Amino acid sequence: MDIKLKKSEPFTAWLCFFLAASIIGGLLITGLSALARFDGSVQALKTTFTDYKRSIAFKEQTGNYYRELFNLVADPAADPSSKEWTVKYLDNEGENLIYYAVNKDSGLLVKNIEGDLPQISGAEIMPDLPAGYNYYWYFDGRKVWVVEDGQPVDVERLDSGYRGIIPGIYTDNNSGLANSEIFLAVKDTLGKNPYGHSQYYMEQQFMRVLGWIYIALLAIGISLLVYAVIRRREKREFDRVLASWSGKMWLEVKAALSLLVLSLAVACSPSFSGGYVFTFEWVLGNVVVSGFVLFGFWWFYLMLVDLIFNGKSFFTHNSINSLFAWYRKYESRYPWQKSMLNRAYLLVAAEAVLALMSVLFLLTGISAGGLSLLAAFLIAGAGIYLIYRYLKLYDETLSDLGRLMDHIKIVKNGDMKTRLEVPADSNVYPAAQNLNSIQAGIGIAVAEKMKSERLKIDLITNVSHDLKTPLTSIISYVELLNREEGLPEHINDYVKILSQKSERLKNIIQDLFDLSKANSENITLDMEQIDLARLIKQTLADMEEPISDSGLAFRLNIPDEPVYILSDGKKLYRVWENLITNALKYSLPGTRVYIDLIADGGTAHAGIKNTANYEMNFSADEILQRFVRGDASRTSEGSGLGLPIARSFTQICGGLFNVKIDGDLFKVELRFKQYFRERKDD
Amino acid sequence: MEKQRVLVVDDDREIVNAIAINLQNEGYEVLKAYDGLQALDMISAQSVHLIILDVMMPKLDGLSTMLKIRAEKNIPIIILSAKSEDTDKVLGLSMGADDYVTKPFNRLELMARVKSQLRRYLSLGDVNVQSRPNLLQSGGLCFDPESHTLMLDGELVKLTAKETRIMELLMRSPGRIFPAEEIYERVWGETAYGVENTVMVHIRRIREKIEINPREPKYLKVVWGIGYKIEKI
């Protein structure tokens, strides 16, 4: 119930507003129409409201009576029955009205005054009237005089309320009225007439009631308006509902209805000034007119609300757009390429039809002219508009397609964050959505991959730490044992073995860690321009002692000029150190080790060759697998990771690493892209 | 003379014990702590001349402990860590450590580093340096261009004439990388041709005199593929 109440509140508030505006508007229209009746004289309207005897209705009614008498006086040949009818008509007022009319030329005399006629000469003289009659009209044969409370009234004044009411205010000498007199006097207090229907009395009563109704309606209207203003937020809610209803109408329908309403209101407006004021007919007429005008008002109010709430769609929701939208929907049932083609075909067909029609109308227009010519131009205009729409759509589709292609490039380049925004009504919208979801999917996959790489690094670091900590204790205590004196000889041998093996374990762990780190692709590199020739020379100089101890001859073919590459010097040193160590370890005594470096202007080729001191019964691939050692035995020093580390480090430094085995010849080839900073600076 | 007091901090008690035995054999007094908080308590309670500090420890890790110590005291700190990456070393040294030793460590090397740090810390050689602005200095290395002598942690290093001139050249521009040719031309005064070996032999000899672990030099470094330099410390 509570909900229902809340739901109805907007409507209630709106209804209050509607009634208030209607009532106030109706009263306003009535007032305006009354004002129009007095040619815009506010003074006359004011007296009309305050006193019936001053009202236009009273004056008009008196004018009616006067007209009857005037017609009798002016038409001596009139039928006697009309005289009888007039007397009867006037006598309905009873004591409220005394009158006489004389035409001495035709001998006509009608009166309801007993005894002699009052002596009147113009308006200056106050006639000898019975008590209670203070208002009279007097026609002296030439002019009409009106006297209110002993004061003559200037009947020609706009605000007097007599303009257009008194027939024959002036007459000339030849009209046959020179010897005529008409006199009318109205009683001060109008009484109910038991003999007939006093128009005066009835109108006085009606006006009194009408005044109260007017005031009551005004009060109701104002209080409703106040309520509506207080609840304006709820009222607005219902405005929104109204807007949503009227928003469903096409613009064309609205325009047509608006024209219709406007013409109705205009057609009604002349009746504003018609009829008697404050008579029943007048009120009824005003209600009808107000109804039409108010209907017009509410219609345009609805349009205004529609415009405010629906904004742009007030204009865009029209039959043409609806037609296009319907076509879109129809089109979406076909594959993209088919619908694009269909659209082009349809355009051609429609253009053909329109062109034909235009030509036909033009031909008939040349002979008939006018409307046909206009139709021809309109149809031609429609054809041009259709082409414009098609081209615009085509342009939009192409630009969206271009953006789609650009975005594919963006995704290809690794940007997984930027979204492709394409309007929902675009032809490539589904494709854009699909691309966006592919991009999001890849983004998630990459993030997962990064996360698992991160975990891998953490694992390597932690395992390395957990291996190194106990090893530290082992090595430390073995060293302490080593320093003990007086141990038996065989215990010393044991300690020596422990010392060697723990040292080897240390090397293996360190190598394993380095290799895992390199392979996890998450190693920090310090890339700079270095001279590969110098690096090889430096490494050889650094290892001079073991080289000269080995008895092997090193044959170098390294250029004197620098061979620049972009690499990490420390890592590359490790590569060459490993390669040279490898050569020293596995070369046949007395043979030569060849180190070559050739730069061909684009690529630096470096190589190391040695003759193996054992039969290499394995492939180049096998030797690069971790823990496969050249001599297949595992007794010697070293971790067996020398070559894999050299390869991994070469690769992360941006080089290629290749092993070749040819009989007893063991050959490692390295390739790097040459780096020319000078060229870059140009 | 008062015994020099070394604080050893590591969560592995056996490692602490082994280091302690070695230090005691060298004649140092040893304090033991097994986490960072304990270490901080001990430092505030008594005077300590050197700290050997592990990084991965419960309660308060080594780097945080070091930051807290550095906020108050200038005691030499040697970090002893299983983390052997260059980035770890750079991080530790830049946060205030005086030296960085990786696990598993060599007993002799550790002892040499302890000795070196203590000598520097207690000899107050820095005061001398400040009073003589024309001295060339990098860390514990100090070259006097007037007497052509090289001091390491306050002790004279015996160098040959060529070695002295190489050191003078490098020490005049710490951090600058000198190609072998340039070193040769400026020290030997001859046109350089295929001199990598000659220079390297000298470099290696100097290293053996000034570096605790010549394979992992602290001062005199090879910049692979470019040249040689004195580290700017």
Side-chain angles (χ1 to χ4, degrees):
Chain A
M1 192 171 156
D2 199 36
I3 292 165
K4 203 179 172 188
L5 193 76
K6 268 188 177 166
K7 211 178 170 186
S8 67
E9 261 177 8
F11 177 68
T12 315
W14 195 86
L15 192 68
C16 287
F17 170 73
F18 175 79
L19 289 175
S22 294
I23 289 168
I24 293 171
L27 295 179
L28 218 62
I29 291 163
T30 316
L32 281 173
S33 102
L35 198 62
R37 186 66 193 84
F38 297 118
D39 293 343
S41 165
V42 177
Q43 184 60 38
L45 185 66
K46 212 168 127 192
T47 55
T48 294
F49 270 97
T50 47
D51 181 5
Y52 174 68
K53 293 282 283 294
R54 298 283 162 92
S55 80
I56 196 85
F58 170 75
K59 287 161 185 171
E60 276 175 344
Q61 189 55 42
T62 310
N64 284 346
Y65 292 142
Y66 175 82
R67 185 179 285 109
E68 293 301 331
L69 293 173
F70 183 82
N71 287 346
L72 275 184
V73 170
D75 184 11
D79 187 355
S81 66
S82 71
K83 182 183 154 188
E84 246 172 74
W85 183 89
T86 304
V87 170
K88 223 174 183 178
Y89 174 53
L90 263 63
D91 283 348
N92 277 340
E93 287 295 339
E95 283 185 356
N96 291 339
L97 179 75
I98 52 174
Y99 65 89
Y100 74 81
V102 191
N103 189 340
K104 285 166 186 163
D105 294 340
S106 66
L108 175 101
L109 176 67
V110 285
K111 62 166 189 171
N112 71 344
I113 303 171
E114 303 296 324
D116 297 331
L117 298 172
Q119 289 303 302
I120 301 167
S121 173
E124 274 81 9
I125 301 156
M126 190 63 194
D128 187 16
L129 287 171
Y133 293 87
N134 232 348
Y135 174 89
Y136 68 89
W137 289 27
Y138 174 64
F139 175 67
D140 61 1
R142 266 170 218 87
K143 189 185 174 197
V144 177
W145 304 85
V146 174
V147 177
E148 293 175 351
D149 293 333
Q151 296 296 318
V153 176
D154 184 356
V155 294
E156 286 167 59
R157 273 179 63 134
L158 194 69
D159 58 1
S160 69
Y162 289 100
R163 275 184 57 151
I165 286 172
I166 305 170
I169 291 180
Y170 299 105
T171 51
D172 55 43
N173 288 333
N174 303 323
S175 63
L177 292 169
N179 288 321
S180 302
E181 272 183 279
I182 299 170
F183 175 79
L184 271 173
V186 183
K187 203 178 177 187
D188 293 351
T189 45
L190 297 167
K192 205 172 175 181
N193 184 2
Y195 312 107
H197 302 287
S198 168
Q199 204 71 31
Y200 284 140
Y201 180 76
M202 277 171 14
E203 276 185 13
Q204 191 185 35
Q205 294 303 316
F206 179 68
M207 199 179 109
R208 210 167 274 164
V209 173
L210 198 66
W212 282 113
I213 289 172
Y214 216 102
I215 288 166
L217 280 175
L218 200 66
I220 291 169
I222 286 172
S223 50
L224 282 174
L225 191 67
V226 167
Y227 180 76
V229 166
I230 291 168
R231 313 299 298 270
R232 58 186 176 280
R233 203 168 291 167
E234 284 89 343
K235 185 226 138 203
R236 239 179 113 74
E237 277 303 305
F238 196 75
D239 277 346
R240 195 186 297 280
V241 174
L242 284 178
S244 76
W245 288 342
S246 72
K248 285 169 188 154
M249 257 187 280
W250 281 341
L251 181 66
E252 289 88 342
V253 175
K254 285 179 204 163
L257 283 176
S258 295
L259 271 174
L260 190 71
V261 168
L262 206 62
S263 57
L264 256 178
V266 168
C268 281
S269 58
S271 52
F272 274 6
S273 51
Y276 302 116
V277 178
F278 293 124
T279 58
F280 179 70
E281 291 82 4
W282 177 81
V283 170
L284 193 69
N286 266 306
V287 165
V288 172
V289 170
S290 302
F292 277 120
V293 172
L294 283 177
F295 181 74
F297 170 77
W298 286 116
W299 173 260
F300 285 105
Y301 175 82
L302 183 66
M303 290 301 100
L304 191 69
V305 164
D306 192 348
L307 191 60
I308 288 169
F309 283 99
N310 296 330
K312 212 177 142 194
S313 80
F314 179 85
F315 300 103
T316 53
H317 181 67
N318 54 41
S319 60
I320 294 174
N321 275 337
S322 295
L323 198 68
F324 277 115
W326 171 83
Y327 177 69
R328 276 271 170 90
K329 209 173 162 189
Y330 159 82
E331 200 173 53
S332 67
R333 285 185 297 182
Y334 293 96
W336 195 78
Q337 64 279 21
K338 176 97 177 148
S339 63
M340 287 288 135
L341 273 177
N342 278 352
R343 192 182 291 177
Y345 294 153
L346 195 72
L347 176 80
V348 171
E351 285 299 325
V353 170
L354 288 174
L356 195 68
M357 280 168 71
S358 182
V359 167
L360 280 177
F361 273 110
L362 198 64
L363 288 177
T364 52
I366 286 166
S367 53
L371 223 54
S372 288
L373 220 53
L374 186 69
F377 284 126
L378 277 179
I379 289 166
I384 290 166
Y385 177 72
L386 201 61
I387 290 175
Y388 163 75
R389 276 295 291 252
Y390 179 82
L391 285 180
K392 203 173 155 226
L393 205 61
Y394 186 69
D395 178 60
E396 278 167 7
T397 305
L398 281 191
S399 94
D400 286 343
L401 207 57
R403 284 172 59 205
L404 188 70
M405 287 163 86
D406 287 348
H407 198 72
I408 291 172
K409 200 170 173 185
I410 286 173
V411 174
K412 188 209 125 199
N413 288 343
D415 182 350
M416 297 302 155
K417 288 224 166 64
T418 323
R419 317 287 298 162
L420 176 58
E421 300 295 347
V422 162
D425 61 350
S426 167
N427 283 310
V428 300
Y429 182 71
Q433 291 299 99
N434 292 341
L435 182 59
N436 276 341
S437 61
I438 289 171
Q439 188 187 22
I442 294 175
I444 290 166
V446 168
E448 289 285 322
K449 177 98 195 305
M450 297 282 276
K451 201 176 148 197
S452 88
E453 275 307 323
R454 191 68 249 161
L455 282 174
K456 211 157 122 191
I457 297 290
D458 286 350
L459 187 73
I460 293 166
T461 311
N462 289 336
V463 167
S464 160
H465 177 261
D466 289 353
L467 289 174
K468 278 177 181 173
T469 304
L471 187 62
T472 306
S473 287
I474 292 170
I475 290 176
S476 297
Y477 285 96
V478 167
E479 277 177 341
L480 286 175
L481 265 184
N482 235 340
R483 293 184 69 196
E484 283 297 317
E485 280 164 21
L487 289 176
E489 192 60 29
H490 66 281
I491 299 289
N492 272 333
D493 288 344
Y494 299 165
V495 172
K496 211 172 154 189
I497 293 166
L498 279 178
S499 180
Q500 281 171 1
K501 296 305 163 188
S502 56
E503 199 63 33
R504 194 176 153 214
L505 190 58
K506 175 182 156 185
N507 290 337
I508 292 174
I509 289 172
Q510 190 56 49
D511 281 358
L512 206 56
F513 177 71
D514 289 343
L515 186 63
S516 310
K517 200 83 198 290
N519 285 332
S520 74
E521 293 165 7
N522 206 318
I523 196 162
T524 39
L525 291 173
D526 186 14
M527 301 294 269
E528 55 186 339
Q529 184 197 25
I530 57 170
D531 175 5
L532 185 57
R534 184 188 295 282
L535 185 133
I536 296 171
K537 285 180 209 161
Q538 278 179 323
T539 313
L540 285 166
D542 187 53
M543 299 179 75
E544 198 211 347
E545 235 171 294
I547 288 172
S548 56
D549 288 350
S550 70
L552 294 166
F554 272 66
R555 294 280 182 269
L556 309 181
N557 179 19
I558 298 169
D560 288 325
E561 58 271 15
V563 178
Y564 288 118
I565 60 170
L566 189 66
S567 193
D568 181 323
K570 267 190 179 169
K571 300 271 183 307
L572 213 51
Y573 159 69
R574 188 83 189 276
V575 171
W576 283 99
E577 189 194 23
N578 283 3
L579 290 177
I580 295 167
T581 307
N582 204 56
L584 293 177
K585 226 185 265 179
Y586 300 112
S587 286
L588 194 66
T591 56
R592 283 148 298 277
V593 176
Y594 296 87
I595 295 180
D596 306 307
L597 175 63
I598 299 160
D600 63 8
T603 312
H605 303 263
I608 179 165
K609 285 178 274 191
N610 68 292
T611 311
N613 56 4
Y614 61 97
E615 190 186 343
M616 293 187 285
N617 52 355
F618 48 78
S619 70
D621 285 339
E622 279 170 337
I623 195 156
L624 283 171
Q625 279 160 17
R626 281 161 230 183
F627 292 112
V628 171
R629 282 242 310 281
D631 58 0
S633 71
R634 294 169 181 272
T635 50
S636 63
E637 298 243 337
S639 60
L641 294 171
L643 275 183
I645 287 177
R647 182 176 65 160
S648 291
F649 277 24
T650 305
Q651 284 165 349
I652 58 171
C653 285
L656 292 173
F657 189 95
N658 200 10
V659 174
K660 278 182 182 165
I661 294 170
D662 187 2
D664 282 346
L665 184 68
F666 182 78
K667 195 173 163 187
V668 177
E669 291 172 343
L670 302 184
R671 255 186 292 161
F672 289 93
K673 215 176 139 196
Q674 271 182 277
Y675 179 74
F676 302 96
R677 197 160 47 179
E678 291 79 11
R679 189 182 291 171
K680 222 178 163 187
D681 286 345
D682 280 346
Chain B
M1 190 183 133
E2 192 199 358
K3 260 191 169 183
Q4 288 162 7
R5 201 175 286 137
V6 179
L7 171 62
V8 183
V9 193
D10 197 318
D11 58 325
D12 191 312
R13 282 165 190 266
E14 284 68 37
I15 292 177
V16 173
N17 275 336
I19 297 170
I21 292 165
N22 280 315
L23 285 170
Q24 278 154 359
N25 285 341
E26 298 288 327
Y28 299 108
E29 192 183 326
V30 179
L31 297 173
K32 300 170 187 173
Y34 304 107
D35 61 62
L37 294 178
Q38 222 177 341
L40 288 178
D41 286 347
M42 283 186 173
I43 292 161
S44 59
Q46 44 202 304
S47 80
V48 171
H49 301 108
L50 184 131
I51 302 163
I52 297 174
L53 191 60
D54 184 26
V55 174
M56 292 205 244
M57 281 190 301
K59 289 184 189 171
L60 192 65
D61 71 83
L63 295 180
S64 307
T65 310
M66 186 164 71
L67 282 181
K68 292 215 163 141
I69 297 170
R70 277 283 172 268
E72 289 169 17
K73 291 193 162 87
N74 198 24
I75 316 166
I77 297 174
I78 298 175
I79 286 185
L80 183 64
S81 170
K83 291 183 169 183
S84 57
E85 287 285 285
D86 281 347
T87 47
D88 298 321
K89 288 180 191 171
V90 169
L91 182 69
L93 292 174
S94 66
M95 282 175 79
D98 295 275
D99 215 336
Y100 196 104
V101 179
T102 55
K103 287 180 190 173
F105 58 88
N106 179 290
R107 178 181 63 93
L108 294 174
E109 187 187 336
L110 181 65
M111 289 309 123
R113 287 182 193 273
V114 168
K115 212 165 153 187
S116 157
Q117 290 300 335
L118 277 173
R119 204 163 52 214
R120 261 180 80 195
Y121 180 57
L122 297 171
S123 70
L124 302 169
D126 293 7
V127 180
N128 270 336
V129 175
Q130 274 160 14
S131 65
R132 299 202 31 205
N134 58 340
L135 284 180
L136 310 172
Q137 201 214 354
S138 174
L141 267 187
C142 183
F143 191 87
D144 183 348
E146 283 171 26
S147 61
H148 299 283
T149 48
L150 182 72
M151 307 284 278
L152 174 65
D153 297 332
E155 278 192 356
L156 187 70
V157 184
K158 285 177 185 160
L159 297 176
T160 65
K162 287 275 189 298
E163 286 166 1
T164 308
R165 290 178 67 181
I166 291 174
M167 280 311 281
E168 185 174 356
L169 175 67
L170 297 182
M171 287 289 280
R172 276 190 189 281
S173 325
R176 198 198 131 183
I177 303 164
F178 291 86
E181 291 81 9
E182 189 183 343
I183 294 174
Y184 190 86
E185 277 166 20
R186 290 176 67 169
V187 171
W188 275 264
E190 290 167 21
T191 315
Y193 185 76
V195 292
E196 202 73 56
N197 250 338
T198 320
V199 174
M200 191 68 190
V201 166
H202 281 84
I203 295 284
R204 220 167 40 228
R205 269 191 219 134
I206 300 170
R207 263 202 205 151
E208 272 154 21
K209 289 175 186 173
I210 65 169
E211 300 287 356
I212 290 164
N213 181 356
R215 279 199 64 77
E216 276 182 53
K218 183 178 174 186
Y219 300 111
L220 185 48
K221 291 193 172 171
V222 182
V223 184
W224 299 102
I226 301 175
Y228 306 88
K229 69 166 178 182
I230 282 285
E231 194 72 55
K232 193 175 186 174
I233 297 170

